[in-house]
Amino acid sequence: MTARFPLMLAAFHRLCNGLEPLEPRPELDYAANYLYLLSGQLPVEEHVKALNAYLVMLADHGMNASTFTARVVASTESDIASAVVAALGALKGPLHGGAPSKVQDMLLAIGTRERAEGWLREALARGDRLMGFGHRVYKAEDPRADELREIARLADPQAFTLARRVEELALALLEEQKPGRHLYTNVEFYSAVVLASVGLPGDFFTPTFAASRVVGWTAHILEQINNNRLIRPESEYTGAKEAQFVVIEKR
Ligand SMILES: CC(C)(COP(=O)(O)OP(=O)(O)OC[C@H]1O[C@@H](n2cnc3c(N)ncnc32)[C@H](O)[C@@H]1OP(=O)(O)O)[C@@H](O)C(=O)NCCC(=O)NCCS
């Protein structure tokens, strides 16, 4: 599955654009092949390095929502493909792996450093979440964000300058408007800059995340089925205890 993900994605991309899918080149590594299969051009070394770093960093991350989903499905003794399809469904949500394309939308909508503060203030006033900030587990900066910030700085200095300004303002505004919530930059913020810098379109950010995370999903699935027990959390009913049922007699 890990080998097939980039093949399927690139073929889909090319067919959607009226182009024939390409055959992978055995002398290229995973990241280089992916970029080659999408564009038909041999990628430059900097793009391969940046994408490789991204793919390795995102490959696994504890019991995140999609990995947990995959393990739940695997624990029912369903098949590995079903567990991965379920994980994909969880990943694509904007609170999980759907976030980087939303970060890209935000950066494109802001456009210039001067517009950043007004745009962010308006978004927060509407009650929107700023994509690329906050994390369900980390209540400090996501350590992967720091690595990706450096990769983004090298990969596209111009896009980085805008992203850095937006990040600084967003952190200041979140601290001002959501004090004590511990909202910091997460992995998705600079993922958007890195993935755009290697030439990927926004609607390929989440699929590319999946091409990395499939490594973690399948490793977790194998671990689950090698020592399986059905995952079945309990839930606590907190509703009314004295429910009244009205029987309506048929005429
Ligand atoms: C990731 C995320 C779902 C984690 O949520 P969480 O830890 O459950 O945090 P909560 O939903 O309990 O939010 C706590 C408070 O911070 C606010 N908040 C959390 N993330 C926020 C964000 N990115 N922008 C603005 N406000 C945010 C919530 O509105 C809430 O405010 P309230 O206490 O006034 O109601 C959340 O931070 C988020 O939606 N981030 C944006 C999406 C994103 O980047 N996802 C990728 C994650 S790697």
Side-chain angles (χ1 to χ4, degrees):
M1 277 202 202
T2 299
R4 279 172 192 268
F5 258 60
L7 285 177
M8 290 188 291
L9 290 172
F12 177 71
H13 178 68
R14 290 183 71 83
L15 290 169
C16 287
N17 288 286
L19 300 164
E20 280 301 305
L22 296 169
E23 285 294 314
R25 293 173 64 146
E27 76 277 15
L28 299 181
D29 68 15
Y30 190 90
N33 248 319
Y34 182 43
L35 293 174
Y36 164 72
L37 289 169
L38 284 163
S39 68
Q41 311 285 325
L42 280 181
V44 295
E45 187 56 31
E46 296 77 54
H47 287 181
V48 176
K49 269 177 86 174
L51 183 61
N52 241 331
Y54 167 85
L55 292 170
V56 170
M57 218 176 313
L58 277 277
D60 190 29
H61 197 224
M63 205 54 69
N64 60 87
S66 57
T67 299
F68 179 66
T69 304
R71 287 191 85 128
V72 170
V73 175
S75 83
T76 69
E77 296 188 0
S78 182
D79 57 282
I80 192 165
S82 300
V84 168
V85 168
L88 280 168
L91 185 82
K92 86 184 237 269
L95 299 189
H96 186 13
S101 59
K102 305 271 181 211
V103 172
Q104 170 83 337
D105 293 346
M106 172 175 74
L107 293 174
L108 288 174
I110 292 174
T112 63
R113 289 161 56 93
E114 296 67 40
R115 282 170 43 85
E117 184 170 353
W119 194 97
L120 293 168
R121 280 194 185 278
E122 273 176 33
L124 286 172
R126 279 195 306 270
D128 291 355
R129 290 191 173 208
L130 301 182
M131 291 292 145
F133 299 92
H135 195 272
R136 194 74 184 82
V137 175
Y138 295 130
K139 297 302 168 194
E141 180 175 277
D142 186 330
R144 299 165 301 169
D146 194 34
E147 297 293 330
L148 282 164
R149 188 183 289 112
E150 283 316 300
I151 297 167
R153 188 198 300 274
L154 297 174
D156 188 339
Q158 202 184 337
F160 176 81
T161 308
L162 174 66
R164 183 72 178 130
R165 179 71 186 140
V166 170
E167 181 193 21
E168 285 168 350
L169 283 166
L171 291 173
L173 291 174
L174 287 169
E175 184 57 36
E176 175 191 302
Q177 300 194 14
K178 300 274 173 187
R181 302 321 195 282
H182 303 289
L183 300 169
Y184 299 97
T185 315
N186 66 43
V187 71
E188 310 298 358
F189 188 76
Y190 283 105
S191 287
V193 182
V194 171
L195 294 176
S197 79
V198 303
L200 292 174
D203 60 356
F204 258 65
F205 290 2
T206 305
T208 305
F209 188 171
S212 162
R213 189 52 62 86
V214 70
V215 177
W217 291 335
T218 47
H220 276 269
I221 293 165
L222 293 177
E223 192 177 74
Q224 184 66 38
I225 59 185
N226 283 336
N227 185 17
N228 190 43
R229 191 150 192 210
L230 182 69
I231 298 176
R232 205 300 192 183
E234 285 190 44
S235 62
E236 189 187 348
Y237 176 73
T238 57
K241 293 208 168 79
E242 303 297 328
Q244 299 291 319
F245 295 95
V246 181
V247 179
I248 301 166
E249 279 181 31
K250 278 190 189 161
R251 297 200 174 183

